[in-house]
Amino acid sequence: QVQLVESGGGLVQAGGSLRLSCAASGRTFTNYPMGWFRQAPGKEREFVARLGWSGGNTYYADSVKGRFTISGDSAKNTVYLQMNSLKPEDTAVYYCAADIKRDGSFDYWGQGTQVTVSS
């Protein structure tokens, strides 16, 4: 089993920055892909970013390219999402997830952290 806990969300003005953290316990992130997703009220969950931890490859949704950066620290069992140039449409609950089985699906999820961007 793995437990994921997100933190770092909050209220920020448009154009500002936030850094989200996802701490894992039970297993490490070293050899497992990790991802960030978000969901706004009344909308479906959408993909934000993915990190292939072993290879260091990253992939981003078009809506956040150039503004968000996903990274990880295996020593701390933590994955981060640096969010810059935030827009009101970035407002959502942000979730981290782990692909422990390395099969392309995210099987383990955190509880989420709220990000609100005001104009």
Side-chain angles (χ1 to χ4, degrees):
Q1 68 179 64
V2 63
Q3 294 177 317
L4 306 175
V5 180
E6 302 95 334
S7 62
L11 176 64
V12 64
Q13 293 184 351
S17 298
L18 283 174
R19 188 193 191 197
L20 306 183
S21 298
C22 175
S25 62
R27 298 181 184 232
T28 68
F29 293 163
T30 303
N31 298 313
Y32 305 96
M34 298 292 299
W36 284 97
F37 296 79
R38 66 187 182 186
Q39 186 170 24
K43 296 184 178 180
E44 294 184 346
R45 181 188 64 195
E46 65 174 337
F47 167 79
V48 174
R50 177 184 175 92
L51 172 66
W53 193 231
S54 294
N57 55 304
T58 60
Y59 183 78
Y60 300 92
D62 289 341
S63 60
V64 306
K65 283 183 178 178
R67 300 189 298 120
F68 291 10
T69 302
I70 186 171
S71 62
D73 186 337
S74 60
K76 297 181 178 180
N77 289 341
T78 301
V79 64
Y80 304 97
L81 184 68
Q82 179 66 47
M83 305 185 295
N84 299 326
S85 301
L86 283 163
K87 304 175 181 180
E89 51 263 44
D90 295 319
T91 296
V93 177
Y94 284 71
Y95 300 89
C96 69
D99 179 10
I100 301 298
K101 298 180 180 179
R102 304 173 185 173
D103 62 358
S105 64
F106 292 92
D107 307 292
Y108 299 90
W109 296 82
Q111 83 289 345
T113 185
Q114 176 71 48
V115 172
T116 302
V117 184
S118 62
S119 59

